[in-house]
PDB file of all heavy atoms in Angstrom:
ATOM      1  N   CYS A 138      -0.324 -11.642 -24.293  1.00 90.00           N
ATOM      2  CA  CYS A 138      -1.028 -11.457 -25.569  1.00 90.00           C
ATOM      3  C   CYS A 138      -0.864 -12.745 -26.384  1.00 90.00           C
ATOM      4  O   CYS A 138       0.248 -13.258 -26.509  1.00 90.00           O
ATOM      5  CB  CYS A 138      -0.442 -10.262 -26.319  1.00 90.00           C
ATOM      6  SG  CYS A 138      -1.103 -10.081 -27.999  1.00 90.00           S
ATOM      7  N   PRO A 139      -1.952 -13.277 -26.944  1.00 88.00           N
ATOM      8  CA  PRO A 139      -1.833 -14.528 -27.706  1.00 88.00           C
ATOM      9  C   PRO A 139      -1.083 -14.370 -29.030  1.00 88.00           C
ATOM     10  O   PRO A 139      -0.645 -15.351 -29.614  1.00 88.00           O
ATOM     11  CB  PRO A 139      -3.289 -14.941 -27.953  1.00 88.00           C
ATOM     12  CG  PRO A 139      -4.088 -13.704 -27.793  1.00 88.00           C
ATOM     13  CD  PRO A 139      -3.339 -12.812 -26.855  1.00 88.00           C
ATOM     14  N   ARG A 140      -0.894 -13.130 -29.479  1.00 88.00           N
ATOM     15  CA  ARG A 140      -0.208 -12.910 -30.760  1.00 88.00           C
ATOM     16  C   ARG A 140       1.288 -12.634 -30.574  1.00 88.00           C
ATOM     17  O   ARG A 140       2.117 -13.270 -31.196  1.00 88.00           O
ATOM     18  CB  ARG A 140      -0.823 -11.721 -31.522  1.00 88.00           C
ATOM     19  CG  ARG A 140      -2.309 -11.771 -31.725  1.00 88.00           C
ATOM     20  CD  ARG A 140      -2.704 -12.739 -32.831  1.00 88.00           C
ATOM     21  NE  ARG A 140      -4.089 -12.664 -33.235  1.00 88.00           N
ATOM     22  CZ  ARG A 140      -5.125 -13.094 -32.534  1.00 88.00           C
ATOM     23  NH1 ARG A 140      -4.959 -13.590 -31.350  1.00 88.00           N
ATOM     24  NH2 ARG A 140      -6.345 -13.023 -33.022  1.00 88.00           N
ATOM     25  N   CYS A 141       1.629 -11.655 -29.705  1.00 89.00           N
ATOM     26  CA  CYS A 141       3.045 -11.266 -29.572  1.00 89.00           C
ATOM     27  C   CYS A 141       3.665 -11.713 -28.248  1.00 89.00           C
ATOM     28  O   CYS A 141       4.853 -11.497 -28.021  1.00 89.00           O
ATOM     29  CB  CYS A 141       3.195  -9.760 -29.725  1.00 89.00           C
ATOM     30  SG  CYS A 141       2.439  -8.795 -28.393  1.00 89.00           S
ATOM     31  N   PHE A 142       2.872 -12.282 -27.343  1.00 88.00           N
ATOM     32  CA  PHE A 142       3.324 -12.839 -26.067  1.00 88.00           C
ATOM     33  C   PHE A 142       3.919 -11.804 -25.102  1.00 88.00           C
ATOM     34  O   PHE A 142       4.711 -12.152 -24.244  1.00 88.00           O
ATOM     35  CB  PHE A 142       4.310 -13.998 -26.286  1.00 88.00           C
ATOM     36  CG  PHE A 142       3.719 -15.087 -27.125  1.00 88.00           C
ATOM     37  CD1 PHE A 142       4.124 -15.260 -28.446  1.00 88.00           C
ATOM     38  CD2 PHE A 142       2.737 -15.919 -26.617  1.00 88.00           C
ATOM     39  CE1 PHE A 142       3.566 -16.251 -29.236  1.00 88.00           C
ATOM     40  CE2 PHE A 142       2.181 -16.916 -27.402  1.00 88.00           C
ATOM     41  CZ  PHE A 142       2.592 -17.089 -28.712  1.00 88.00           C
ATOM     42  N   THR A 143       3.537 -10.545 -25.248  1.00 89.00           N
ATOM     43  CA  THR A 143       3.939  -9.545 -24.255  1.00 89.00           C
ATOM     44  C   THR A 143       2.870  -9.486 -23.168  1.00 89.00           C
ATOM     45  O   THR A 143       1.707  -9.836 -23.390  1.00 89.00           O
ATOM     46  CB  THR A 143       4.109  -8.145 -24.889  1.00 89.00           C
ATOM     47  OG1 THR A 143       2.898  -7.770 -25.523  1.00 89.00           O
ATOM     48  CG2 THR A 143       5.265  -8.109 -25.856  1.00 89.00           C
ATOM     49  N   GLU A 144       3.259  -9.032 -21.998  1.00 91.00           N
ATOM     50  CA  GLU A 144       2.345  -8.989 -20.866  1.00 91.00           C
ATOM     51  C   GLU A 144       1.397  -7.791 -21.012  1.00 91.00           C
ATOM     52  O   GLU A 144       1.838  -6.660 -21.229  1.00 91.00           O
ATOM     53  CB  GLU A 144       3.143  -8.870 -19.564  1.00 91.00           C
ATOM     54  CG  GLU A 144       2.313  -9.106 -18.330  1.00 91.00           C
ATOM     55  CD  GLU A 144       3.174  -9.119 -17.075  1.00 91.00           C
ATOM     56  OE1 GLU A 144       3.670  -8.042 -16.701  1.00 91.00           O
ATOM     57  OE2 GLU A 144       3.343 -10.202 -16.493  1.00 91.00           O
ATOM     58  N   ILE A 145       0.081  -8.069 -20.882  1.00 90.00           N
ATOM     59  CA  ILE A 145      -0.935  -7.016 -20.966  1.00 90.00           C
ATOM     60  C   ILE A 145      -1.921  -7.202 -19.817  1.00 90.00           C
ATOM     61  O   ILE A 145      -2.013  -8.297 -19.243  1.00 90.00           O
ATOM     62  CB  ILE A 145      -1.677  -7.048 -22.329  1.00 90.00           C
ATOM     63  CG1 ILE A 145      -2.384  -8.391 -22.526  1.00 90.00           C
ATOM     64  CG2 ILE A 145      -0.741  -6.719 -23.467  1.00 90.00           C
ATOM     65  CD1 ILE A 145      -3.282  -8.439 -23.756  1.00 90.00           C
ATOM     66  N   PRO A 146      -2.678  -6.153 -19.463  1.00 88.00           N
ATOM     67  CA  PRO A 146      -3.704  -6.318 -18.418  1.00 88.00           C
ATOM     68  C   PRO A 146      -4.754  -7.337 -18.845  1.00 88.00           C
ATOM     69  O   PRO A 146      -5.086  -7.445 -20.032  1.00 88.00           O
ATOM     70  CB  PRO A 146      -4.316  -4.921 -18.292  1.00 88.00           C
ATOM     71  CG  PRO A 146      -3.277  -3.990 -18.813  1.00 88.00           C
ATOM     72  CD  PRO A 146      -2.549  -4.761 -19.880  1.00 88.00           C
ATOM     73  N   ALA A 147      -5.299  -8.068 -17.873  1.00 85.00           N
ATOM     74  CA  ALA A 147      -6.286  -9.106 -18.185  1.00 85.00           C
ATOM     75  C   ALA A 147      -7.594  -8.521 -18.691  1.00 85.00           C
ATOM     76  O   ALA A 147      -8.362  -9.202 -19.360  1.00 85.00           O
ATOM     77  CB  ALA A 147      -6.546  -9.958 -16.956  1.00 85.00           C
ATOM     78  N   VAL A 148      -7.864  -7.245 -18.425  1.00 85.00           N
ATOM     79  CA  VAL A 148      -9.105  -6.626 -18.882  1.00 85.00           C
ATOM     80  C   VAL A 148      -8.957  -5.951 -20.244  1.00 85.00           C
ATOM     81  O   VAL A 148      -9.917  -5.412 -20.778  1.00 85.00           O
ATOM     82  CB  VAL A 148      -9.618  -5.589 -17.849  1.00 85.00           C
ATOM     83  CG1 VAL A 148     -10.025  -6.276 -16.563  1.00 85.00           C
ATOM     84  CG2 VAL A 148      -8.606  -4.505 -17.608  1.00 85.00           C
ATOM     85  N   ALA A 149      -7.772  -5.994 -20.814  1.00 85.00           N
ATOM     86  CA  ALA A 149      -7.518  -5.318 -22.091  1.00 85.00           C
ATOM     87  C   ALA A 149      -8.269  -5.990 -23.226  1.00 85.00           C
ATOM     88  O   ALA A 149      -8.416  -7.214 -23.261  1.00 85.00           O
ATOM     89  CB  ALA A 149      -6.025  -5.320 -22.384  1.00 85.00           C
ATOM     90  N   THR A 150      -8.739  -5.174 -24.163  1.00 86.00           N
ATOM     91  CA  THR A 150      -9.396  -5.697 -25.360  1.00 86.00           C
ATOM     92  C   THR A 150      -8.517  -5.555 -26.600  1.00 86.00           C
ATOM     93  O   THR A 150      -8.865  -6.042 -27.664  1.00 86.00           O
ATOM     94  CB  THR A 150     -10.728  -4.958 -25.618  1.00 86.00           C
ATOM     95  OG1 THR A 150     -10.460  -3.561 -25.729  1.00 86.00           O
ATOM     96  CG2 THR A 150     -11.706  -5.210 -24.493  1.00 86.00           C
ATOM     97  N   ARG A 151      -7.377  -4.867 -26.443  1.00 89.00           N
ATOM     98  CA  ARG A 151      -6.425  -4.698 -27.545  1.00 89.00           C
ATOM     99  C   ARG A 151      -5.026  -4.660 -26.939  1.00 89.00           C
ATOM    100  O   ARG A 151      -4.786  -4.055 -25.914  1.00 89.00           O
ATOM    101  CB  ARG A 151      -6.707  -3.402 -28.296  1.00 89.00           C
ATOM    102  CG  ARG A 151      -5.880  -3.238 -29.559  1.00 89.00           C
ATOM    103  CD  ARG A 151      -6.313  -2.014 -30.340  1.00 89.00           C
ATOM    104  NE  ARG A 151      -7.635  -2.127 -30.923  1.00 89.00           N
ATOM    105  CZ  ARG A 151      -7.901  -2.662 -32.117  1.00 89.00           C
ATOM    106  NH1 ARG A 151      -6.917  -3.138 -32.844  1.00 89.00           N
ATOM    107  NH2 ARG A 151      -9.113  -2.700 -32.582  1.00 89.00           N
ATOM    108  N   CYS A 152      -4.084  -5.321 -27.596  1.00 89.00           N
ATOM    109  CA  CYS A 152      -2.694  -5.345 -27.137  1.00 89.00           C
ATOM    110  C   CYS A 152      -2.045  -3.998 -27.447  1.00 89.00           C
ATOM    111  O   CYS A 152      -2.149  -3.487 -28.563  1.00 89.00           O
ATOM    112  CB  CYS A 152      -1.923  -6.473 -27.823  1.00 89.00           C
ATOM    113  SG  CYS A 152      -0.179  -6.515 -27.364  1.00 89.00           S
TER     114      CYS A 152
END
Side-chain angles (χ1 to χ4, degrees):
C138 173
R140 307 283 190 287
C141 67
F142 303 106
T143 57
E144 192 174 70
I145 60 173
V148 294
T150 57
R151 187 174 292 273
C152 177

